[in-house]
Amino acid sequence: MSEPGPGTRVVRAGLPEPEQGEPFLPGPVFAAPFHLSGDPHAAPAAYTRYGNPTWARYEEAVGSLESAEAVLFSSGMAAVAALLLTLLKPGSVVTMDSGCYHGVRVLAAAHLEPRGVEVRLAPPVELAEAAEGADLLWLESPSNPELEVYDIAALAARGVPTVVDNTTAGPLLQQPLDLGAQYGLTSATKTMSGHADLLLGYVTARDPERVQALRDWRRQAGALPGPFETWLAHRSLPTLALRVERGCDNALAIARLLAARDDVEGVRYPGLPGDPGHDIARRQMSGYGVVVSFDVGSAERAERFLTAARLVTDATSFGSVHTCAERRARWGGDAVPEGFIRLSAGSEETADLLADVERALDGA
Ligand SMILES: Cc1ncc(COP(=O)(O)O)c(C=O)c1O
């Protein structure tokens, strides 16, 4: 039999071998210490900061989707901090795309620069040049919220160890390690878990030493995922391909609707043939994701749109089964216009969503 496709693999990823009378996915293991006598290193589990069977199952599952090892953390930002603080030391240089998730830039300014790390923020066209001589290249593709698409293979080929924040794409749509990056980073808070009910994050890598360094950091710093959140995320994994497929279809349909209107500007969706990132996205992604961004002209109009929409929940974050959107400038921190909206398409029926978006825009 040929190797099953990713949509098949997610259904059973990380499940134990079938055992008579046992559940498909064993329940979460809640334990601080485990029973332990004698040598702690020989024990299957000793203390949850050192490891937990519920994490191990989920890590095996998400790692297998990238043919890599995965190290799970309590949130996407905990995974970001683990990478930045283990890879960089005083005197190091990190180059970041200036449109990467603002939490990453805030962390870099608050905790890297004061420790003597040079942080070079570069816009898309200058990123390759700014990576010259750096110790680490950090990029996010497609970026949140502006949906810039970077040529991962070309940038990673420059020889600087590269991290790709893969959160907006996820492993079913994009494989950063296959494209040459040393690390993939995913906030599993978003599409991976997909139900707007937990925070988690993980790093993928193929070099055992790098993986061990991240596990050591997790144990030392204590950025530990909760077993219940981990179990919920694993519980949601079998539907990932279905959710992503429906979300991508809905995102494309909404992007087309928006692009056809003359009262909406700057529609960005890598799946639109006219999008500046489309050609690269077509080469390196197998789908274009669930996030669409656009500008309705003013903060007031954006707020009216969000209030009028019934099937689009005004909330931050993305990747849930519920279609959500927000006026991104309300947070500050991103170089976006006041009327800029980031919309995350969920799993509702396409026709219902289109009708709702159209009606809310007409009324706004
Ligand atoms: C691209 C990206 N990376 C990382 C994060 C951080 O993830 P978390 O909120 O799980 O800490 C986010 C959160 O929005 C994000 O959008």
Side-chain angles (χ1 to χ4, degrees), residues 50-333:
Y50 287 66
N52 177 291
T54 308
W55 305 347
R57 270 188 215 102
Y58 186 63
E59 286 179 334
E60 187 192 323
V62 294
S64 74
L65 300 178
E66 293 184 46
S67 309
E69 294 277 319
V71 186
L72 187 65
F73 293 91
S74 48
S75 67
M77 283 311 300
V80 169
L83 273 172
L84 291 176
L85 296 172
T86 54
L87 292 172
L88 300 167
K89 53 183 191 306
S92 301
V93 176
V94 57
T95 298
M96 293 180 160
D97 76 82
S98 55
C100 73
Y101 175 56
H102 86 282
V104 177
R105 288 179 273 127
V106 168
L107 179 74
H111 295 288
L112 295 181
E113 284 177 328
R115 287 173 171 78
V117 174
E118 185 190 337
V119 179
R120 294 182 190 158
L121 290 178
V125 287
E126 290 166 24
L127 195 63
E129 201 182 318
E132 220 43 58
D135 299 288
L136 188 68
L137 171 61
W138 187 283
L139 58 104
E140 193 179 300
S141 187
S143 65
N144 164 32
E146 291 170 87
L147 301 175
E148 290 298 341
V149 176
Y150 291 90
D151 187 335
I152 297 173
L155 286 162
R158 300 183 74 85
V160 177
T162 302
V163 177
V164 174
D165 185 332
N166 201 34
T167 300
T168 57
L172 294 188
L173 304 184
Q174 183 167 271
Q175 294 275 322
L177 304 183
D178 284 352
L179 292 165
Q182 279 67 36
Y183 298 96
L185 179 130
T186 304
S187 165
T189 309
K190 320 290 182 196
T191 314
M192 287 305 288
S193 60
H195 291 74
D197 53 7
L198 59 85
L199 277 85
L200 280 178
Y202 62 87
V203 178
T204 49
R206 289 180 181 158
D207 175 340
E209 269 181 42
R210 297 172 199 259
V211 171
Q212 191 55 47
L214 289 163
R215 291 198 200 286
D216 290 346
W217 167 268
R218 179 175 64 187
R219 188 182 67 252
Q220 291 154 359
L224 310 175
F228 190 54
E229 282 81 353
T230 308
W231 182 85
L232 275 175
H234 204 159
R235 164 74 171 71
S236 302
L237 189 58
T239 55
L240 179 65
L242 296 172
R243 289 185 280 110
V244 167
E245 192 181 328
R246 177 67 81 99
C248 289
D249 288 351
N250 282 341
L252 178 61
I254 291 171
R256 283 193 179 129
L257 180 153
L258 295 170
R261 292 183 65 108
D262 52 18
D263 58 350
V264 174
E265 300 286 313
V267 180
R268 290 297 307 262
Y269 182 64
L272 286 178
D275 188 90
H278 181 67
D279 288 343
I280 302 172
R282 208 178 43 184
R283 283 206 305 274
Q284 69 187 17
M285 300 177 77
S286 54
Y288 301 104
V290 301
V291 183
V292 182
S293 61
F294 55 102
D295 182 3
V296 294
S298 69
E300 295 71 29
R301 184 156 191 258
E303 296 298 346
R304 287 199 297 274
F305 166 72
L306 292 165
T307 306
R310 291 280 163 269
L311 298 176
V312 182
T313 303
D314 189 354
T316 195
S317 202
F318 54 86
S320 170
V321 288
H322 324 86
T323 295
C324 295
E326 72 169 334
R327 191 176 73 79
R328 193 63 192 170
R330 66 180 173 175
W331 291 93

Side-chain angles (χ1 to χ4, degrees), residues 12-39:
R12 286 163 212 275
L15 298 187
E17 287 300 314
E19 255 191 73
Q20 185 80 334
E22 293 297 326
F24 287 28
L25 174 65
V29 175
F30 296 116
F34 295 79
H35 290 295
L36 175 71
S37 47
D39 179 4

